[in-house]
């Protein structure tokens, strides 16, 4: 369930600035330096620069190599990073950042003197990101910036098109050096920079081996102090069973995301730590409103009542997750805890179907006006996806019990995407959304988002929902937005355009020799410079 | 008609004894084992078709997942959704029986036509057909299957059509080789000089008398190959799709638990694959030896 | 070498090279057409994570300077290829040629190695049983070979890995642990593919039958009657040629098996790359791999033709 998620990177939330500073050199926190951490990834990163990369494996690596103007700490608070302080003026339309001095870019061996990070790099990064020929998921997220100006070498000013909520958090985008890319105007994946990035972060890309292992070494000049662990090695695997065994036999020290089926095995082993981290994502069954039978809210609700989510979570995922009731990821501030998920209740489901005018046919399938409730569920094929198989087949089974016939159709990923987002040829799909913070669900349920390759694939349209979404987007008050989103949550929970299932707890597994491990929900390595390995275990 | 009988027989010894009487004991053992397997396959096919299985192969039991063999009436245990393994093994043959036959039919029929054209007519036909068969041989087959699956849907019949087509060159080149061999032995010249019509020469004297053991071998190999290819595809996620069972997807889903020391769920279907393929191979081997009178020296 | 011996080989080689060129053209064309018409857009891999609209999709194509019609795309690909430029991967932006060479060598190593393993098992069994017939000694061997060639290759890989881990307490992956004998473990995938590629039984049978056929030929009988060495006379026809034929015929199968084995053993080869690229519809990579795979296959058959001509110079005039 971990590779083929529909990744939807939305806004990052929250909060206030805390001033803090540290000098380059050793961290002086009494923890030992040294050791190597090699971790397993399921698949290979496509690119290593923060602009063109668009999948989780690359994202995790760029987190080690680069920094943003602001960062986030373990308490999810915004902290200074490349900017040491900032000033917000013009009623939230101007952001002025005062940059840290003496930050140096990674130095390639044999290259001359290390270059200093300056305001020019910030302006350059923004320019290259927004260039029409640069293909990057960042572009849509930063269209709110009207202009960037360099005031002096260490001051840079952003002017916004309009004031927006939580804008500060958005300045966490990674800064790339103006001397990095060979093309100074736009960045493509063919640029050598995409495979040999230069950043300011705690780790320097050393090389990529013939086996496509990515070797990163500690940056001695890191402005927050040299990271403790000397070397990070990312090892790509093509088989999750083998990756888990590699951990069990010390060929690697860490797996960033453990397959649910392997959790019991690792749990039982004292040598390893299983660390949960909150993922802002959820799984769902999505309905196609173009099917007249599914346009009736009672039918969709009946399906939701018929599904025993608790049993599935317990049987398939060792209860490692939270059942959800609405369109926001739990963990996010917008989630409405007052709305409880529907309880498993097949009788109620049957009653709802009867109320909607369905009667049981001679073959045991519910029908209305000669139309049978016999639906196609389309699921993308994934290698090693037994969790997906389990959930969809259990769903089929639950619905059979209330007289609904589900035909499960597995499709190759790209043709599945065409069926769902282009042809809209499906009744139900099973998928997951991954959020970076779930506040903005406008693209999922707003009626303007119906169409080819748009996120409202089910064609859900409801004026009330539309107006709430717009209202929430326009407000600049955090509390007000929260109230609106709670209303939206309650409404969509009742409307059931999806059968919302659950957020699964992600688990990282690592050897217990690695200490002080804190994990960022989706960037993962944000705090890796503080991780360390006790001297005795460094080998 | 002495000369006629000489060419109607095979190259090699000719005797009036029925072939099983002059057969070697080993071959008889091979063939009987093979026939046993084939009848088991047909039996399971029929059982599956009429839903005569110890349990419902599609019935989930979330309280009894990955049960070991013998647990509460499940002779071979249950799979990752608590479904009965034995019933699914029986039903699993549905994935191979007809589709496998289809693949064999495609490769044999097209291969024969091309082989005869290339071998008998020769010349430009030969050049063209050789080019075509080389072309097919040069494709990365799994990539081809993936793209076909993407274009249509992951259906075992589509997979088997590709498998059948990609096996055409093998059959064609074998038939062509056989015809060349017969030509070298002046067999075809003799038949032509007797004034036999081309159709009779090809159908009866070449294909029936001289190529039937080749057909048997290719057919039995083809069945084994169909099963193994589906299994490989299942590993990649593109074999027969749930909820339909196939031995390949059963091995794959069971193998996810192999490293945790639960061998049984993948071993049972793997053994089914092993015994079946072995049966087909030995059947082919034995029949071949009997028909060609290879042994008993 | 005498000129008369070189000439037929040169002739065969030229012929094969011409055929190969034509074949590569054919392969590239067919693969391109299939790719073009299969659902999914190669550029969607770039847009993943932003759920791009139709306009963004067209924009991406424009930004990359991709021509809209498929035949101009094909022709420009072809022209570039003849200049030695295989393009760059859409997914990673790396030059395809470099990637092909890097992974191709690993796959070649795996393929040739497994062929040798297969032959090392098949030849002795075939020889012995064709000369002596089925005996108490050969029969179990034959059965063993038949059994292993009927096992699913990925499952066989799992068994070996499990066995190695729990018996020897080592983890066998190519990307080694840095341990002393890690190169030894890299022999494991070769061994697994060699016995588990599903062709061992076929190879045994073919070699045995061919050997048996040659042994019953008149000239061998004569030689045997004269008391000359049967082995010397039957070697070329009965062993050398059938073996090369089998090598040529089985390369495509083994390349297919490599797709699986490379994933199980984390082997950085072409099969694994092909699988990723096919899913991404990364057409420059797929085309490159198709070409290289075809070259491997043709190299096998060229090898067979050359051996055939060396053994039997008259054949080149056919």
């Amino acid at each position: 369930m971990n590779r083929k998620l529909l990744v939807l990177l939305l806004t990052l939330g929250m909060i206030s600035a805390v001033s803090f500073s540290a000098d380059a050199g050793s961290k002086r926190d009494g923890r030992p330096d040294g050791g190597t951490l090699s971790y397993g990834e399921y698949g290979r990163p496509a690119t290593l620069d923060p602009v063109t990369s668009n999948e989780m494996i690359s994202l995790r690596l760029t987190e080690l190599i680069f920094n943003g103007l602001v960062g986030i700490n373990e308490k999810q608070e915004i902290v200074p990073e490349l900017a040491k302080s900032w000033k917000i003026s013009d009623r939230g339309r101007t952001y002025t950042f005062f940059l840290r001095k003496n930050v140096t870019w990674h130095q390639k061996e044999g290259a001359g003197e290390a270059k200093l990070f300056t305001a020019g790099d910030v302006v350059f990064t923004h320019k290259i990101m927004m260039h029409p020929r640069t293909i990057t998921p960042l572009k849509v997220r930063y269209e709110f910036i009207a202009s960037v100006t360099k005031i002096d070498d260490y001051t840079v000013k952003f002017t916004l098109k309009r004031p927006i909520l939580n804008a500060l958090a958005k300045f966490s985008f990674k800064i790339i050096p103006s001397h990095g890319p060979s093309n100074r105007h736009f960045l493509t994946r063919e640029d050598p920079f995409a495979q040999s990035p230069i950043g300011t972060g705690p780790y320097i890309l050393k090389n990529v081996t013939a086996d496509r292992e990515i070797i990163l070494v500690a940056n001695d000049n890191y402005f927050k102090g040299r990271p403790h662990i000397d070397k990070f090695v990312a090892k790509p695997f093509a088989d999750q069973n083998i990756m888990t065994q590699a951990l069990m036999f010390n060929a690697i020290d860490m797996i960033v995301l453990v397959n649910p089926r392997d959790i019991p095995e690792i749990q039982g082993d004292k040598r390893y730590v299983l660390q949960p981290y909150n993922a802002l994502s959820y799984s769902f069954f999505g309905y196609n409103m173009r099917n007249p039978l599914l346009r009736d809210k009672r039918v969709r609700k009946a399906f939701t009542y018929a599904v025993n989510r608790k049993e599935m979570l317990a049987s398939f995922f060792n209860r490692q997750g939270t059942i959800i009731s609405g369109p926001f990821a739990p963990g996010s501030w917008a989630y409405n805890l007052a709305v409880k998920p529907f309880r498993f209740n097949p009788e109620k489901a049957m009653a709802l179907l009867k109320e909607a005018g369905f009667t049981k046919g001679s073959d045991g399938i519910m029908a209305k006006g000669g139309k049978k409730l016999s639906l196609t569920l389309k699921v993308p094929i994934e290698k090693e996806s037994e969790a997906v198989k389990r959930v969809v087949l259990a769903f089929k089974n639950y619905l059979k019990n209330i007289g609904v016939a589900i035909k499960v159709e597995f499709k190759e990923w790209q043709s599945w995407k065409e069926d769902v987002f282009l042809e809209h040829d499906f009744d139900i799909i099973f998928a997951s959304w991954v959020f970076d913070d779930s506040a903005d669900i406008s693209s999922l349920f707003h009626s303007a988002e119906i169409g080819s390759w748009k996120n409202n694939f089910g064609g859900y349209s409801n004026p009330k929902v539309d107006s709430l979404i717009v209202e929430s987007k326009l407000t600049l008050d955090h509390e007000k937005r929260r109230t609106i989103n709670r209303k939206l949550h309650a409404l969509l929970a009742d409307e059931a355009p999806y059968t919302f299932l659950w957020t699964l707890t992600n688990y990282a597994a690592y050897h217990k020799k690695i200490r002080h491990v804190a994990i960022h929900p989706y960037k993962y390595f944000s705090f890796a410079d503080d991780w360390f390995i006790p001297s005795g275990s460094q080998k | 008609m002495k000369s006629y009988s000489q060419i109607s027989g095979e190259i090699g010894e000719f005797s009036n004894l029925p072939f099983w009487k002059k057969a070697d004991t080993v071959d008889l053992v091979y063939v009987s084992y093979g026939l046993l397997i084939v009848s088991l396959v047909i039996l399971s096919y029929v059982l599956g078709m009429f839903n005569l299985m110890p349990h419902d192969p599609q019935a989930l039991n979330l309280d009894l997942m990955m049960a070991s063999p013998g647990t509460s009436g499940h002779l071979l245990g249950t799979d990752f959704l608590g479904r009965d393994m034995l019933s699914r093994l029986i039903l699993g043959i549905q994935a191979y029986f007809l589709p496998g036959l289809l693949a064999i039919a495609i490769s044999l029929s097209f291969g024969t036509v091309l082989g005869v054209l290339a071998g008998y007519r020769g010349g430009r036909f030969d050049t063209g057909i050789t080019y075509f068969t080389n072309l097919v041989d040069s494709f990365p087959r799994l990539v081809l299957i993936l793209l076909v699956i993407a274009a249509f849907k992951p259906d075992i019949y589509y997979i088997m059509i590709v498998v059948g087509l990609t096996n055409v060159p093998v059959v064609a080149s074998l038939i062509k080789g056989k015809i060349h061999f017969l030509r070298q032995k002046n067999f075809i010249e003799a038949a032509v000089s007797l004034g036999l019509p081309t159709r009779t020469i090809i159908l009866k004297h070449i294909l029936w008398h001289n190529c039937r053991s080749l057909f048997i071998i290719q057919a039995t190999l083809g069945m084994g190959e169909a099963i193994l290819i589906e299994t490989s595809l299942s590993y990649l996620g593109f074999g027969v799709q749930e909820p339909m069972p196939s031995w390949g997807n059963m091995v794959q889903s069971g193998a996810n638990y192999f490293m945790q020391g639960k061998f049984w769920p993948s071993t049972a279907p793997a053994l089914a694959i092993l015994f079946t393929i072995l049966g087909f191979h030995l059947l082919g081997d034995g029949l071949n030896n009997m028909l060609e009178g290879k042994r008993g020296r | 070498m005498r000129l008369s011996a070189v000439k037929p080989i040169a002739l065969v080689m030229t012929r094969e090279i011409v055929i190969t060129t034509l074949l590569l053209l054919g392969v590239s064309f067919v693969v391109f057409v299939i790719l073009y018409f299969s659902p999914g857009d190669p550029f969607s891999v770039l847009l993943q994570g932003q759920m791009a609209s139709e306009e963004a999709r067209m924009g991406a194509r424009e930004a990359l300077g991709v021509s809209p019609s498929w035949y101009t795309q094909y022709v420009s690909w072809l022209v570039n290829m003849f200049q030695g430029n295989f393009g760059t991967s859409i997914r990673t932006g790396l030059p395809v040629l470099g990637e092909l060479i890097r992974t191709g060598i690993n796959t070649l190593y795996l393929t040739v190695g497994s062929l040798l393993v297969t032959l090392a098992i098949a030849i002795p069994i075939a020889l012995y049983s064709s000369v002596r017939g089925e005996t108490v000694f050969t029969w179990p061997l034959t059965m063993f070979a038949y059994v292993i060639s009927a096992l699913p290759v990925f499952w066989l890989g799992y068994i070996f890995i499990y066995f190695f881990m729990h018996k020897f307490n080592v983890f066998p992956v190519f990307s080694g642990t840095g341990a002393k004998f890690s190169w030894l473990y890299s022999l494991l995938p070769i061994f697994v593919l060699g016995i588990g590629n599903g062709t061992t039984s076929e190879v045994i049978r073919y070699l045995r039958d061919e050997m048996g056929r040659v042994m019953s030929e008149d000239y061998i009988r004569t030689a045997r009657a004269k008391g000359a060495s049967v082995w010397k006379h039957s070697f070329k026809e009965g062993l050398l040629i059938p073996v090369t034929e089998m090598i040529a015929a089985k390369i495509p199968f083994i390349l297919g098996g490599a797709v699986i084995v490379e994933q199980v053993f984390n082997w950085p080869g072409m099969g694994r790359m092909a699988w990723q690229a096919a899913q991404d519809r990364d057409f420059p990579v797929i085309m490159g791999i198709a070409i290289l795979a075809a070259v491997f296959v043709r190299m096998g058959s060229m090898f067979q033709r050359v051996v055939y001509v060396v053994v039997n110079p008259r054949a080149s005039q056919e």
Side-chain angles (χ1 to χ4, degrees):
Chain A
M1 294 251 287
N2 24 31
R3 202 165 72 88
K4 283 178 176 162
L5 301 160
L6 297 163
V7 181
L8 180 77
L9 300 173
L10 298 171
T11 67
L12 185 83
M14 318 242 77
I15 298 172
S16 61
V18 186
S19 203
F20 137 99
S21 125
D23 300 309
S26 158
K27 279 191 181 287
R28 296 194 207 98
D29 55 7
R31 298 186 188 121
D33 288 354
T36 298
L37 189 160
S38 59
Y39 69 97
E41 285 276 16
Y42 184 46
R44 293 174 186 161
T47 53
L48 301 174
D49 74 280
V51 176
T52 67
S53 64
N54 59 352
E55 26 81 27
M56 302 311 270
I57 300 173
S58 302
L59 191 75
R60 286 190 273 264
L61 281 162
T62 56
E63 191 65 18
L64 289 168
I65 303 172
F66 294 92
N67 294 105
L69 290 174
V70 300
I72 194 167
N73 70 7
E74 293 171 39
K75 289 176 207 135
Q76 305 281 310
E77 294 159 343
I78 289 170
V79 293
E81 220 167 85
L82 287 174
K84 62 175 188 283
S85 61
W86 48 83
K87 195 178 80 200
I88 303 166
S89 52
D90 194 11
R91 271 184 287 160
R93 284 194 55 201
T94 309
Y95 282 72
T96 311
F97 290 92
F98 304 99
L99 306 182
R100 215 182 267 271
K101 287 170 189 161
N102 302 322
V103 175
T104 52
W105 291 103
H106 295 164
Q107 212 176 348
K108 294 284 158 191
E109 276 162 55
E113 210 172 297
K115 290 205 167 64
L116 282 175
F117 157 75
T118 65
D121 297 312
V122 180
V123 177
F124 172 80
T125 303
H126 175 260
K127 209 178 73 195
I128 215 165
M129 211 159 74
M130 303 313 281
H131 191 283
R133 295 193 64 175
T134 303
I135 302 170
T136 170
L138 300 174
K139 205 175 289 175
V140 278
R141 296 166 64 196
Y142 292 99
E143 50 77 34
F144 69 88
I145 298 175
S147 69
V148 188
T149 1
K150 173 178 159 182
I151 308 280
D152 60 48
D153 266 358
Y154 294 99
T155 316
V156 65
K157 188 178 88 181
F158 285 80
T159 313
L160 274 49
K161 286 178 185 158
R162 56 180 185 277
I164 62 164
L165 191 58
N166 298 332
L168 192 56
K170 295 203 174 193
F171 291 100
S172 61
F173 65 86
K174 306 283 183 225
I175 305 296
I176 61 171
S178 54
H179 63 279
S182 57
N183 184 325
R184 309 231 343 130
H185 304 288
F186 58 91
L187 188 62
T188 65
R189 292 189 172 196
E190 289 167 25
D191 198 298
F193 182 72
Q195 298 295 336
S196 54
I198 300 166
T200 52
Y203 286 89
I204 304 176
L205 176 77
K206 185 159 170 258
N207 63 312
V208 180
T209 67
D211 313 347
R212 278 293 174 261
E213 287 177 17
I214 292 158
I215 317 263
L216 303 167
V217 292
N219 177 5
D220 289 330
N221 301 319
Y222 187 46
F223 61 85
K224 288 188 203 164
R226 183 192 187 277
H228 292 303
I229 298 174
D230 281 347
K231 199 163 138 192
F232 267 64
V233 182
K235 290 195 183 197
F237 284 82
D239 183 309
Q240 293 191 357
N241 291 312
I242 304 301
M243 183 159 76
T244 306
Q245 293 313 308
L247 178 74
M248 305 306 276
F249 281 82
N250 293 327
I252 51 174
D253 308 310
M254 176 180 262
I255 293 177
V256 293
L257 186 54
V258 179
N259 190 315
R261 70 166 172 257
D262 293 329
I263 288 174
E265 194 191 0
I266 299 173
Q267 221 160 23
D269 197 319
K270 291 250 172 342
R271 293 171 300 165
Y272 303 99
V273 180
L274 261 181
Q275 183 158 324
Y277 57 102
N278 195 7
L280 295 173
S281 73
Y282 62 78
S283 308
F284 59 88
F285 287 100
Y287 302 109
N288 191 350
M289 311 299 157
R290 293 171 190 86
N291 182 334
L293 297 177
L294 290 172
R295 211 171 290 148
D296 191 331
K297 161 175 128 182
R298 288 168 297 192
V299 175
R300 305 191 303 258
K301 275 175 93 170
F303 288 6
T304 309
Y305 274 115
V307 175
N308 192 343
R309 290 175 281 185
K310 213 169 170 182
E311 185 183 38
M312 284 198 272
L313 201 60
S315 307
F316 305 152
F317 302 103
N318 301 303
R319 296 190 180 80
Q320 304 299 331
T322 321
I323 294 170
I324 56 167
S325 59
F328 298 99
S332 95
W333 51 271
Y335 189 86
N336 188 346
L337 283 167
V339 180
K340 294 278 173 246
F342 293 170
R343 289 218 126 157
F344 171 59
N345 189 345
E347 290 80 29
K348 179 140 194 200
M350 294 285 269
L352 274 168
L353 284 182
K354 286 223 173 75
E355 196 188 312
F358 286 90
T359 46
K360 210 164 214 168
S362 54
D363 52 358
I365 297 173
M366 295 296 232
K368 175 171 135 184
K371 275 193 180 160
K372 276 189 201 170
L373 255 184
S374 152
L375 304 165
T376 308
L377 166 63
K378 289 203 176 169
V379 187
I381 294 178
E382 275 172 60
K383 190 171 169 251
E384 304 186 50
S385 65
E386 70 188 331
V388 173
K389 288 178 195 157
R390 281 174 155 170
V391 172
V392 298
L393 292 176
F395 178 76
K396 177 188 161 90
N397 202 43
Y398 289 129
L399 289 201
K400 199 175 101 192
N401 295 338
I402 60 161
V404 180
I406 298 289
K407 189 175 155 240
V408 182
E409 206 177 291
F410 287 88
K411 296 217 74 170
E412 192 268 343
W413 170 248
Q414 297 240 16
S415 60
W416 179 82
K417 255 166 77 177
E418 286 204 347
D419 277 4
V420 174
F421 291 98
L422 183 66
E423 316 279 345
H424 305 298
D425 173 23
F426 65 97
D427 294 318
I428 311 174
I429 64 161
F430 173 70
S432 308
W433 288 121
V434 181
F435 300 91
D436 134 352
D437 185 287
S438 56
D440 184 3
I441 54 159
S442 55
S443 75
L444 306 187
F445 299 109
H446 196 284
S447 59
E449 288 290 329
I450 302 172
S452 296
W453 297 114
K454 288 193 168 165
N455 284 339
N456 190 348
F457 55 85
Y460 178 74
S461 159
N462 182 339
K464 262 196 228 157
V465 171
D466 285 3
S467 68
L468 277 176
I469 287 174
V470 172
E471 211 181 314
S472 142
K473 260 193 144 171
L474 289 180
T475 180
L476 285 176
D477 181 84
H478 189 73
E479 268 316 303
K480 218 165 150 193
R481 181 179 282 185
R482 196 182 173 118
T483 321
I484 299 166
N485 279 343
R486 282 163 168 267
K487 259 195 240 166
L488 194 59
H489 182 133
L491 182 60
L492 282 170
D494 183 63
E495 280 279 311
Y498 294 172
T499 287
F500 299 101
L501 295 173
W502 46 62
T503 288
L504 295 179
T505 313
N506 284 345
Y507 277 96
Y510 55 90
H511 195 280
K512 67 166 192 241
K513 73 179 181 190
I514 304 160
R515 304 284 170 80
H516 201 260
V517 176
I519 296 169
H520 186 279
Y522 81 95
K523 292 178 180 172
Y524 198 86
F525 285 124
S526 303
F527 320 116
D529 56 321
D530 285 330
W531 301 1
F532 72 98
I533 301 172
S535 316
S537 318
Q538 288 175 1
K539 270 185 283 185
Chain B
M1 289 297 279
K2 193 169 180 241
S3 52
Y4 183 80
S5 75
Q6 197 185 336
I7 59 161
S8 75
E10 297 164 39
I11 302 291
E13 304 108 283
F14 180 73
S15 125
N16 283 321
L17 278 173
F19 65 84
W20 56 87
K21 287 234 170 110
K22 55 181 177 174
D24 192 274
T25 335
V26 178
D27 290 333
L28 278 179
V29 173
Y30 282 9
V31 172
S32 353
Y33 173 73
L35 287 177
L36 176 74
I37 290 294
V38 171
S39 38
L40 274 177
V41 162
I42 295 175
L43 177 72
S44 336
Y45 182 74
V46 173
L47 285 177
M49 213 159 56
F50 293 104
N51 254 327
L52 297 168
M53 281 161 282
H55 294 261
D56 177 356
Q58 305 294 12
L60 313 188
N61 185 348
L62 302 193
D63 299 326
L64 201 67
M65 299 191 300
M66 304 300 295
S68 45
T71 316
S72 59
H74 297 286
L75 203 60
L76 292 183
T78 59
D79 74 354
F80 69 105
L81 275 162
R83 299 172 294 190
D84 181 49
M85 288 285 284
L86 180 61
S87 309
R88 289 182 74 73
L89 266 187
I90 295 172
L91 191 64
I93 197 67
Q94 303 278 332
Y96 304 120
F97 192 68
L98 287 185
L101 288 181
L102 176 72
I104 293 167
I106 289 174
S107 65
L108 287 188
S109 54
F110 285 91
T112 307
V113 171
L114 293 184
V116 167
L117 277 178
Y120 200 81
R121 296 284 295 270
R124 248 183 234 161
F125 273 104
D126 191 11
T127 318
I129 289 166
T130 311
Y131 178 78
F132 170 76
T133 53
N134 281 335
L135 192 66
V136 174
D137 257 347
S138 312
F139 278 124
R141 172 149 71 173
L142 280 176
V143 170
L144 203 64
I145 292 179
L146 174 86
L147 294 177
V148 167
I149 287 172
F152 300 99
K153 55 178 180 176
D155 185 308
I156 186 73
Y157 282 97
Y158 291 117
I159 296 171
M160 286 304 149
I161 289 171
V162 180
V163 171
L165 286 177
T166 48
N167 275 339
V168 166
V170 178
V171 179
S173 78
L174 284 172
I175 301 258
K176 188 177 120 182
K178 197 85 184 180
I179 293 176
H180 278 304
F181 173 73
L182 293 174
R183 245 188 227 293
Q184 265 177 16
K185 301 279 167 187
N186 295 327
F187 175 89
I188 294 173
E189 268 175 36
V192 172
S193 66
L194 276 173
L196 293 176
T198 314
R199 221 172 71 186
T200 321
I201 299 179
I202 291 174
L203 287 181
K204 186 168 176 193
H205 301 297
I206 296 179
L207 291 182
W208 175 245
H209 287 301
N210 283 296
C211 294
R212 61 187 172 198
S213 57
L214 187 154
F215 288 142
I216 290 171
I217 298 265
Q218 285 307 312
T220 51
L221 284 177
M223 199 41 130
E225 214 194 330
I227 296 177
L228 283 182
I229 290 235
E230 196 278 332
T231 309
S232 287
L233 280 171
S234 282
Y235 172 71
L236 299 167
F238 289 86
V240 170
Q241 296 297 324
E242 295 279 352
M244 270 308 290
S246 77
W247 295 346
N249 69 26
M250 290 173 75
V251 177
Q252 155 60 12
S253 60
N256 286 332
Y257 294 87
F258 192 92
M259 296 294 174
Q260 300 174 14
K262 291 174 190 155
F263 306 126
W264 190 250
S266 58
T267 307
L271 286 181
I273 290 174
L274 195 153
F275 286 124
T276 308
I277 294 181
L278 189 62
F280 277 103
H281 283 189
L282 292 184
L283 180 69
D285 237 19
L287 281 179
N288 178 38
N289 290 340
M290 283 183 181
L291 290 169
E292 303 264 323
K294 277 278 162 60
R295 266 191 263 267
R297 191 170 324 137
Chain C
M1 217 185 237
R2 281 171 296 123
L3 190 68
S4 57
V6 176
K7 208 179 150 199
I9 298 176
L11 209 70
V12 167
M13 292 285 271
T14 342
R15 214 180 93 104
E16 284 292 317
I17 288 170
V18 172
I19 294 179
T20 303
T21 318
L22 286 175
L23 276 174
L24 294 186
L25 272 179
V27 167
S28 66
F29 183 74
V30 177
V31 170
F32 193 90
V33 170
I34 295 176
L35 257 179
Y36 190 83
F37 288 104
S38 59
D41 183 339
F43 304 103
S44 70
V45 67
L46 300 178
L47 299 167
Q48 203 160 313
Q50 63 188 86
M51 273 301 158
S53 62
E54 194 60 42
E55 300 88 77
R57 282 169 179 264
M58 293 318 290
R61 294 178 79 100
E62 247 166 58
L64 291 168
V66 184
S67 66
S69 71
W70 67 273
Y71 48 86
T72 38
Q73 260 181 54
Y74 177 66
V75 169
S76 68
W77 179 84
L78 204 63
V79 169
N80 283 331
M81 194 201 67
F82 276 116
Q83 293 164 353
N85 176 8
F86 281 78
T88 54
S89 159
I90 294 171
R91 185 176 126 89
T92 63
L94 291 167
V96 173
L97 189 63
E99 291 285 284
L100 277 183
I101 292 171
R102 195 177 54 74
T103 56
I105 285 172
N106 287 334
T107 298
L108 195 66
Y109 176 42
L110 181 67
T111 315
V112 172
S114 351
L115 260 172
L116 292 178
V117 171
T118 306
L119 293 176
I121 296 170
I123 292 178
I125 296 179
L127 267 185
Y128 198 81
S129 56
S130 72
V131 176
R132 293 282 145 86
E134 295 296 8
T135 65
V136 205
F137 183 63
T138 53
W139 191 80
L141 279 179
T142 317
M143 278 306 107
F144 173 70
Y146 275 35
V147 164
I148 54 172
S149 67
L151 280 172
V153 66
F154 77 90
W155 193 66
L156 194 65
Y158 274 31
I159 293 179
F160 270 87
I161 289 176
Y162 188 88
F163 185 76
F164 262 67
M165 283 190 330
H166 291 265
K167 287 283 168 212
F168 304 126
N169 214 12
V170 290
F171 187 74
V173 282
F174 181 60
S175 39
T177 51
K180 232 180 187 175
F181 294 104
S182 59
W183 62 272
L184 258 180
Y185 316 143
S186 73
L187 293 180
L188 203 61
I190 294 176
F191 191 63
V192 166
L193 185 56
I195 63 177
N197 57 34
T199 62
T200 319
S201 66
E202 211 181 325
V203 175
I204 289 178
R205 172 168 27 207
Y206 187 74
L207 296 184
R208 194 182 57 204
D209 288 1
E210 284 297 294
M211 196 71 192
R213 187 178 63 76
V214 171
M215 296 293 256
S216 63
E217 292 270 351
D218 291 344
Y219 69 96
I220 300 292
R221 288 184 183 176
T222 320
R224 189 180 287 185
K226 278 187 187 160
S229 160
V230 178
W231 173 243
K232 202 176 136 196
H233 285 84
S234 60
F235 171 72
K236 286 179 181 173
E237 277 278 317
L239 189 65
L240 193 58
I241 291 179
V243 165
T244 54
E245 274 171 356
M246 275 291 111
I247 291 176
K250 291 307 164 202
I251 285 179
F253 284 80
I254 294 182
L255 281 178
V259 175
I260 310 291
V261 171
E262 284 176 6
Q263 300 203 20
V264 172
F265 286 93
N266 223 22
W267 186 278
M270 205 169 72
R272 199 172 143 186
M273 190 161 87
W275 192 248
Q276 174 78 52
Q279 286 177 303
D280 293 338
R281 311 284 190 274
D282 194 342
F283 78 89
V285 177
I286 302 177
M287 301 286 284
I289 289 173
I291 294 287
L292 192 59
V295 168
F296 280 177
V297 172
R298 295 308 300 167
M299 264 167 28
S301 79
M302 201 183 298
F303 171 62
Q304 183 230 325
R305 292 296 302 170
V306 168
V307 169
Y308 191 69
V309 168
V310 170
V311 171
N312 190 359
R314 267 188 313 155
S316 64
Q317 279 134 39
E318 273 176 20

